[in-house]
Amino acid sequence: LSGPSAPNANVTTRSVTVNVFRAVPFIIMLVALLPVTRWLVGTTLGTWAAVVPLTVNLLPFYARIAQVSLNEVDGGLVEAARAMGCRRWHIVRHVLLPEALPGIVGGMTVSVIAMINASAMAGAVGAGGLGDLAIRYGYERYETRVMFEVIVILIALVSVIQFTGEAIARRFDHRR
């Protein structure tokens, strides 16, 4: 909860941590996390090896989006709930989450699209998927048709996800 009772030191520490992870480009994080990836999944190649850096890359990204959505909730609503005697959990469950849900869903949509982007980059280091297809068969074999087909597939996939995410966010937005 925001306001004068919020522990500012913890919020600042979390913000710095999120900003540090968000500042590192994915391809660099992918390489830097190779030892952690090997320890967690037993390999540094393949689809499962890409899951670790994808997760580490996207969690701070989504956390910031969720934080912004929660911070945009009108403080008057929180104060009104406090005045009615609501406990912290009830404020979170019945005020903050319903009010922030459209932004949170929108943030999830953006995060899924960012994950598609990052997973395509992970294909460059053997993680498979569309990125691997575009690089191995399109770029390295000079088959530009394959690269363009992958691009078209990615555009279609992102468009469907964006359209669906916006529709779900509109469904949860009670202000419209």
Side-chain angles (χ1 to χ4, degrees):
L1 298 173
S2 61
S5 64
N8 290 332
N10 287 339
V11 172
T12 303
T13 303
R14 286 189 297 257
S15 291
V16 169
T17 303
V18 167
N19 287 340
V20 165
F21 280 103
R22 286 182 51 224
V24 179
F26 177 70
I27 197 74
I28 294 170
M29 186 176 295
L30 184 76
V31 174
L33 289 174
L34 286 176
V36 175
T37 301
R38 183 182 311 275
W39 181 75
L40 286 173
V41 295
T43 184
T44 57
L45 296 174
T47 305
W48 283 106
V51 169
V52 174
L54 281 170
T55 303
V56 170
N57 184 52
L58 289 171
L59 279 177
F61 180 76
Y62 181 71
R64 178 65 71 206
I65 292 172
Q67 177 190 19
V68 168
S69 295
L70 289 167
N71 285 343
E72 288 180 357
V73 173
D74 184 14
L77 292 172
V78 174
E79 289 303 317
R82 281 186 184 151
M84 290 188 293
C86 289
R87 294 202 169 117
R88 183 175 288 232
W89 171 248
H90 288 107
I91 293 171
V92 170
R93 170 72 177 91
H94 298 289
V95 177
L96 288 175
L97 287 179
E99 290 294 318
L101 198 54
I104 290 172
V105 170
M108 182 63 75
T109 302
V110 171
S111 296
V112 168
I113 292 170
M115 184 172 57
I116 291 169
N117 179 21
S119 66
M121 279 190 275
V125 293
L130 290 172
D132 183 48
L133 181 68
I135 295 209
R136 188 176 302 180
Y137 295 100
Y139 178 73
E140 290 177 356
R141 294 184 183 179
Y142 301 106
E143 293 185 33
T144 54
R145 189 184 111 254
V146 173
M147 275 200 321
F148 285 120
E149 288 171 353
V150 169
I151 290 169
V152 168
I153 291 169
L154 287 170
I155 289 171
L157 182 62
V158 166
S159 297
V160 167
I161 290 169
Q162 185 68 45
F163 177 78
T164 304
E166 287 174 356
I168 293 169
R170 275 193 307 273
R171 186 170 178 229
F172 285 120
D173 192 355
H174 63 276
R175 296 171 288 183
R176 293 181 185 201

